[in-house]
Amino acid sequence: MKKTLITGGAGYIGSHAAKALSSLGREVVVLDSLVAGHRDFLKWGEFEQGDLADSAFLKGVFSRHDIGEVLHFAAFIAVGESVEKPDMYYGNNVRNTLNLLDAMLEADVKRLVFSSTAAVYGEPVTDVIAEDHPLSPLSPYAWSKRMIEQMLADYDHAYGLKHVCLRYFNAAGADPDGEIGERHQPETHLIPLILHAALGLRDNITIFGTDYPTPDGTCLRDYIHVTDLANAHVKALEYLESGGASRAFNLGNGNGFSVREIIDVAQEVSGKDIPVTESERRPGDSPSLVSSAKAAHGVLGWNPQFGNVRDIVRTAWDWHQKDLA
Ligand code: UDP
């Protein structure tokens, strides 16, 4: 059986995908520079340490392993940082993806599942976003993902490289078995930062913007459990393997939660009082990102198991208590 290459497989979502694939008996090869990934998340498959900027290394990976398809997670992911340092984002995300695609073509590997983002929609004009909603990114991070989606469309047209772009809404939670979870350095995401505050590792949680056109003035996001995301990658691979056409799928639960609501849920789950401060909007943030994931349900047969936001926060809380102990 051919192997699945997972770029960024020592990271948060990539490691959960490595677990999901391995548990189905698939052979995986994790490629990670360990700049942002974690050695202790390397629990499944073989490991190749290196950077996508290194074309010779990439060529070696494809020659050492019989790769059938690629799950491409490796990327920089912080919206705010991308506004400050666009060169980092266009270099690491766009240019290095081009290296990956060229190495794939050279090795005649023609299937790729790409980690895209709901941020490609920008400021949506509908309450719930379907895949045909116009794309209008608000940050270099979101633009880098948008540009890669275009590159993939062009590579399919020219070279027959088939892809699925999975547009994640807000990945959250942790492996229910507690083997892996979310650990970013520095952490910028809402749920882990709230839980760090609950653990006393920071003084408070800051709300970025309270004057958005939303019911309580704070941004609405659609939180999706990382294990559900991982399982969607399995479905996307099966879709491509059965000859599915290149396209994008949203991955979310279809429910918008405000920043304040998430803080309330985290207080309830952790049983801790979490001090809150309010500040200006964070540049590059969309007021509301809520999915329609009907296509992923209908076409991929994907069914999330952790649709309840309390379950999502609870698995994150279990992980953070252990990881930060
Ligand atoms: N957010 C916040 N305080 C923080 C971190 C995030 O108010 O310390 C808000 C952020 O402005 C956004 C939401 O929480 O509206 C989710 O942000 P996150 O960075 O977790 O994910 P993103 O939506 O940027 O992918």
Side-chain angles (χ1 to χ4, degrees):
M1 187 208 276
K2 286 186 182 277
K3 303 176 187 176
T4 303
L5 181 68
I6 307 182
T7 77
Y12 173 43
I13 307 173
S15 61
H16 286 79
K19 176 171 180 170
L21 262 69
S22 297
S23 68
L24 292 172
R26 284 180 177 254
E27 287 190 50
V28 308
V29 179
V30 168
L31 185 165
D32 204 296
S33 64
L34 297 185
V35 168
H38 307 289
R39 197 172 283 283
D40 61 316
F41 287 9
L42 294 168
K43 298 174 194 266
W44 301 278
E46 297 168 89
F47 177 49
E48 291 276 2
Q49 183 170 359
D51 202 293
L52 295 179
D54 183 347
S55 295
F57 162 72
L58 267 176
K59 197 176 167 154
V61 170
F62 282 97
S63 68
R64 283 190 288 281
H65 303 276
D66 187 14
I67 305 291
E69 61 255 316
V70 177
L71 301 185
H72 179 33
F73 295 91
F76 290 145
I77 56 161
V79 169
E81 182 182 52
S82 79
V83 176
E84 305 293 324
K85 299 175 183 167
D87 49 323
M88 264 177 74
Y89 281 71
Y90 292 125
N92 188 47
N93 295 5
V94 181
R95 186 175 55 218
N96 291 350
T97 296
L98 205 52
N99 287 344
L100 172 67
L101 297 183
D102 290 340
M104 287 176 65
L105 287 184
E106 211 177 309
D108 201 30
V109 176
K110 296 275 182 76
R111 286 191 293 264
L112 178 126
V113 178
F114 172 58
S115 300
S116 190
T117 171
V120 295
Y121 296 114
E123 199 166 328
V125 295
T126 50
D127 288 343
V128 171
I129 308 167
E131 288 82 356
D132 60 359
H133 185 285
L135 305 183
S136 178
L138 297 174
S139 67
Y141 164 70
W143 269 113
S144 74
K145 295 288 182 175
R146 169 75 189 94
M147 288 174 184
I148 294 165
E149 289 200 3
Q150 185 60 45
M151 279 160 43
L152 291 173
D154 294 339
Y155 269 57
D156 182 9
H157 181 74
Y159 309 122
L161 196 158
K162 299 294 172 198
H163 66 269
V164 164
C165 295
L166 295 177
R167 294 180 183 151
Y168 310 156
F169 283 65
N170 284 62
D175 172 38
D177 303 326
E179 293 192 275
I180 42 179
E182 187 162 17
R183 190 198 297 148
H184 293 117
Q185 191 55 259
E187 188 52 78
T188 62
H189 294 105
L190 181 65
I191 291 176
L193 286 176
I194 298 171
L195 298 178
H196 292 183
L199 286 165
L201 299 171
R202 49 185 293 131
D203 293 339
N204 53 46
I205 183 71
T206 301
I207 299 179
F208 295 143
T210 54
D211 60 348
Y212 282 100
T214 58
D216 70 12
T218 69
C219 291
L220 296 177
R221 290 291 182 275
D222 179 350
Y223 294 88
I224 168 84
H225 195 280
V226 63
T227 298
D228 287 328
L229 282 184
N231 290 333
H233 289 76
V234 176
K235 298 286 188 190
L237 279 181
E238 290 169 358
Y239 168 83
L240 287 176
E241 284 161 359
S242 65
S246 296
R247 60 163 293 171
F249 292 98
N250 288 340
L251 297 177
N253 282 310
N255 302 310
F257 291 91
S258 74
V259 175
R260 289 192 201 282
E261 285 175 319
I262 293 295
I263 295 170
D264 288 345
V265 170
Q267 300 205 108
E268 188 188 311
V269 166
S270 67
K272 307 278 184 187
D273 225 14
I274 300 165
V276 175
T277 60
E278 297 177 2
S279 82
E280 297 300 301
R281 294 181 177 195
R282 183 174 68 175
D285 270 345
S286 174
S288 168
L289 291 169
V290 181
S291 71
S292 161
K294 275 192 192 134
H297 299 150
V299 179
L300 297 181
W302 173 67
N303 288 307
Q305 306 297 306
F306 299 91
N308 184 314
V309 77
R310 276 168 190 75
D311 295 337
I312 294 176
V313 173
R314 188 168 293 109
T315 60
W317 176 236
D318 289 345
W319 162 257
H320 284 295
Q321 287 179 95
K322 194 172 93 172
D323 194 43
L324 299 170

